[in-house]
Amino acid sequence: MKKNESKLIIRVLSKSFNTPDNNIQVLTNINLHVEKGELVALIGPSGCGKTVFLDCISGLLTHDTGEILVGDNAINKGKHFVSYLLQNDGLLPWRRIIDNVMLPLEIKGVDKKNAKKRAQKLLKQFGLSEFEKYYPSQLSGGMIQRAALARTYLVDNDIILMDEPFSRLDALTKLTTQQWFLYIWEKYKKTVLFVTHDIDEAIFLADRIYVMSVRPGRIIAEYTVSIPRPRKNDVSTTSQFISLKKKLLEALKKNRGFNSD
Ligand SMILES: Nc1ncnc2c1ncn2[C@@H]1O[C@H](COP(=O)(O)OP(=O)(O)OP(=O)(O)O)[C@@H](O)[C@H]1O
Ligand SMILES: [Mg+2]
């Protein structure tokens, strides 16, 4: 791979499903890019195709037409050049946290001792060392999300996809986990594309935000979040934040066919 491999570019991507009854068009002509080290949000109504889109980028699904590029390299069907945090955390309940986190390395063929060492180092940075021998059911929601993210970060890919990473957390845990995630993102400088329903979350975390239409999903708006970093949770009361929130709400409302007046 070439030097600028951690940039993600999607060009005119479309995806449909053939079901026994009909053909469902899910995504139409999606154009999107995430620069190296950028944190980009994708927001859109339920069922518009956000998860299908991330599945296409990750290689879990194959797209019909269009291009997915990592740097200058087209992603070949079925090849995985990205780490992907699924909409449910994907931790295996019968494996301890340490075994869950090191799983992708084991699958890649890294020997167990080495995989464990790397996982332990990362768990320390994610504040989970004390809990490495616990099972997922013994951790809080915030800890589970941190463990799932640790696993995503352990894989040596520069591009990370996250599908609603904080949506199942209660309001307070969500705020602290988002703040913590920003610290991790700034530390590792990965290129991140994440999906969310939560407008506040998109503004608080992202450098840029794409808005998707109802199905068949297409990009209907794009906003740059010029709120300076580091961002603290109280940024949501600033006029800059509120004005961007209004614009996003407008875009989503129009898109749903509501009268915005
Ligand atoms: N394997 C499949 N076969 C047929 N249709 C599918 C398949 N997978 C997804 N779909 C359809 O694609 C559409 C988009 O689904 P997707 O899960 O991407 O939505 P989403 O935007 O992630 O929604 P949510 O915000 O609720 O998670 C839905 O109408 C869904 O029924
Ligand atoms: Mg989804």
Side-chain angles (χ1 to χ4, degrees), residues 50-51 87 163-164 195:
K50 302 179 297 295
T51 297
Q87 193 158 3
D163 197 354
E164 311 224 18
V195 156

Side-chain angles (χ1 to χ4, degrees), residues 12-59:
V12 285
L13 182 139
S14 294
K15 169 75 185 165
S16 59
F17 288 106
N18 277 314
T19 67
D21 301 325
N22 54 4
N23 177 283
I24 306 175
Q25 190 69 35
V26 178
L27 300 168
T28 314
N29 295 337
I30 305 273
N31 287 298
L32 170 155
H33 66 100
V34 187
E35 298 298 320
K36 187 177 186 314
E38 203 182 17
L39 179 47
V40 171
L42 176 63
I43 193 162
S46 186
C48 72
K50 302 179 297 295
T51 297
V52 168
F53 182 53
L54 294 190
D55 284 351
C56 287
I57 302 174
S58 73

Side-chain angles (χ1 to χ4, degrees), residues 63 71 82 89 97 101 155 165 180 193 215 223 234 244 246 259:
H63 51 287
V82 296
D89 59 64
I97 293 305
V101 171
V155 186
W180 165 86
L193 174 63
R215 188 172 64 80
Y223 297 96
D234 60 6
L244 182 53
K246 274 186 187 157
N259 188 340

Side-chain angles (χ1 to χ4, degrees), residues 126-177:
F126 280 60
L128 289 168
S129 283
E130 288 174 57
F131 302 97
E132 66 168 63
K133 295 207 173 86
Y134 283 51
Y135 289 95
S137 62
Q138 297 171 306
L139 298 190
S140 72
M143 285 170 171
I144 288 175
Q145 275 320 92
R146 290 207 320 262
L149 262 164
R151 187 174 61 178
T152 312
Y153 265 78
L154 192 63
V155 186
D156 274 337
N157 291 320
D158 291 334
I159 296 177
I160 292 193
L161 309 175
M162 305 193 300
D163 197 354
E164 311 224 18
F166 313 112
S167 62
R168 286 176 305 156
L169 303 178
D170 65 82
L172 207 59
T173 312
K174 198 183 215 189
L175 289 181
T176 50
T177 312

Side-chain angles (χ1 to χ4, degrees), residues 24-133:
I24 306 175
Q25 190 69 35
V26 178
L27 300 168
T28 314
N29 295 337
I30 305 273
N31 287 298
L32 170 155
H33 66 100
V34 187
E35 298 298 320
K36 187 177 186 314
E38 203 182 17
L39 179 47
V40 171
L42 176 63
I43 193 162
S46 186
C48 72
K50 302 179 297 295
T51 297
V52 168
F53 182 53
L54 294 190
D55 284 351
C56 287
I57 302 174
S58 73
L60 286 179
L61 286 174
T62 50
H63 51 287
D64 300 339
T65 54
E67 253 187 329
I68 302 171
L69 299 162
V70 174
D72 299 326
N73 302 278
I75 291 191
N76 295 318
K77 288 187 170 128
K79 286 267 166 68
H80 302 258
F81 293 120
V82 296
S83 298
Y84 186 11
L85 180 63
L86 300 170
Q87 193 158 3
N88 70 22
D89 59 64
L91 295 184
L92 303 172
W94 60 88
R95 289 184 77 130
R96 296 174 195 273
I97 293 305
I98 182 75
D99 299 316
N100 261 297
V101 171
M102 60 195 259
L103 184 65
L105 291 183
E106 281 184 60
I107 291 170
K108 267 185 156 182
V110 175
D111 73 85
K112 251 189 160 165
K113 210 171 145 194
N114 189 359
K116 189 168 182 179
K117 219 166 127 190
R118 283 171 62 186
Q120 280 173 324
K121 195 172 160 207
L122 204 71
L123 280 175
K124 197 172 172 195
Q125 281 158 359
F126 280 60
L128 289 168
S129 283
E130 288 174 57
F131 302 97
E132 66 168 63
K133 295 207 173 86

